[in-house]
Amino acid sequence: WLQDRGFSPRRIGLVPERFCVAGCLPGNGGGLSLLFNSHMDTSIPDDATLRLRPAEKSDRLAWVDGEYIIGKGVVNDKGPMAAFMMAADAIRRAGTPLKGDIVLTMVPGEIDQEPVDEFTATRYLSKEVGSRYLVSRGVVADYALVAEGTDFNLGWAVAGKTCFKISVYGKSVYVPFMPPRSEPSRSPNAIIKMVPVLSALEDWAARYERENSVDTPGGRVIPKANIGAIRAGSPSHISSSAKACSIYMDVRLAPGADPLAIRESLRKVVKDCGVEGEVELYTYRKAQVAQGVEPLVDAVGWAHTMLGTEKPGMAAPAYSSMWRDHLVFIEAGIPAITYGPSGSTGGARPYSMKIEDMVRAAQSYALIALNICSRTKEP
């Protein structure tokens, strides 16, 4: 599509099967450039889930239903991607002269996954193969707009994240020799030993969220924690107690958070439960708040005025408290925001987006690009 319309696209990949795409509508020179970004990967059920229940239709397909277009990939994140592609093509077809470049980028690796244990092949890489790799290969601009759903509001704060593997150890004891069930504290089974740890971690997570939420100029960050996986024993050999049980925990970070202090706090949780265990930190990504975004924020406000819609407000805290790729551009010193249409991931119409909102998004993106890329870049 980009090639047919003269955007001179390039494939830029850390690995061939997971490549980024970058295209450009060049300006005449001397102006500010604007980079649009969205991700091509979409969250789908993992193999373990699919063994228990089939995938839903919206996991793989997209379809029109009245005033809506429905599909997990549409909402996250190819609907906004289509909108900025159409916006750039409208400017191209109109022949509107620009001073600065419009850069279009589409990346893998935005959906949360982190290599751990035996899951270390390139298929498990996330941020390393996407926007971060693209930036390292020189695909940059004066400003960046990450096109994702924000209900047409603005955000330029992004939570960081840590991932922890928390392991508890026991002994392998054959079933007939297990101690009486009336004394669970004596159980050699690491799975049973993990039970009080799980309860204590849930209490810890509630305190962590409450004590670490913070308001920033780019939005409110409410860092949450989630126990997302548990591993122990072997389903084909359950006649002995498990020697080890591990849980995998995602802990989001507010700006300024110390991952080592969090690890120490989690170690204390395990110790206070009176079990033998350890806590491994295997992922760290620092939170970011953009600086110097005022021209881009003004451009979004101007676009709303031109379209006769309300001025944008700040995006809901959930959008500032998750990973989005504007973190990567902020990290690189590029003023970046996230901004896009409404998109439901649940409720009566799961994974749905109004077609009129996609059209409005395309109109907004076109106006924002015209505003920024018509400005002269100061020396």
Side-chain angles (χ1 to χ4, degrees), residues 56-134:
E56 296 179 355
K57 181 181 176 183
S58 63
D59 288 326
R60 294 288 187 183
L61 303 175
W63 65 96
V64 173
D65 183 358
E67 61 181 335
Y68 291 89
I69 183 166
I70 299 174
K72 189 176 286 189
V74 173
V75 174
N76 190 27
D77 175 36
K78 289 176 275 287
M81 178 191 299
F84 74 64
M85 292 167 69
M86 295 301 294
D89 193 46
I91 294 171
R92 178 193 66 83
R93 287 185 290 109
T96 306
L98 300 174
K99 295 179 181 179
D101 299 346
I102 300 175
V103 182
L104 309 179
T105 65
M106 301 80 167
V107 300
E110 194 273 351
I111 296 297
D112 283 305
Q113 61 176 16
E114 304 293 347
V116 65
D117 295 344
E118 71 270 29
F119 306 102
T120 57
T122 54
R123 61 174 290 203
Y124 299 109
L125 293 173
S126 57
K127 319 312 177 191
E128 293 76 15
V129 301
S131 293
R132 181 166 282 157
Y133 185 76
L134 198 68

Side-chain angles (χ1 to χ4, degrees), residues 36-39 77 80-81 84 145-149 337-340 365:
F36 288 99
N37 171 275
S38 63
H39 58 93
D77 175 36
M81 178 191 299
F84 74 64
L145 189 156
V146 169
E148 293 221 46
I337 64 169
T338 184
Y339 168 81
Y365 293 148

Side-chain angles (χ1 to χ4, degrees), residues 168 178 181 183-197 241-242 245 275:
V168 165
M178 297 283 282
R181 277 292 189 269
E183 303 176 55
S185 61
R186 290 182 54 202
S187 174
N189 194 331
I191 298 173
I192 304 303
K193 291 177 181 291
M194 182 62 84
V195 172
V197 177
S241 57
C245 180
V275 297

Side-chain angles (χ1 to χ4, degrees), residues 26-45:
N28 296 324
L32 293 172
S33 55
L34 175 63
L35 180 149
F36 288 99
N37 171 275
S38 63
H39 58 93
M40 298 184 286
D41 53 338
T42 300
S43 176
I44 60 172

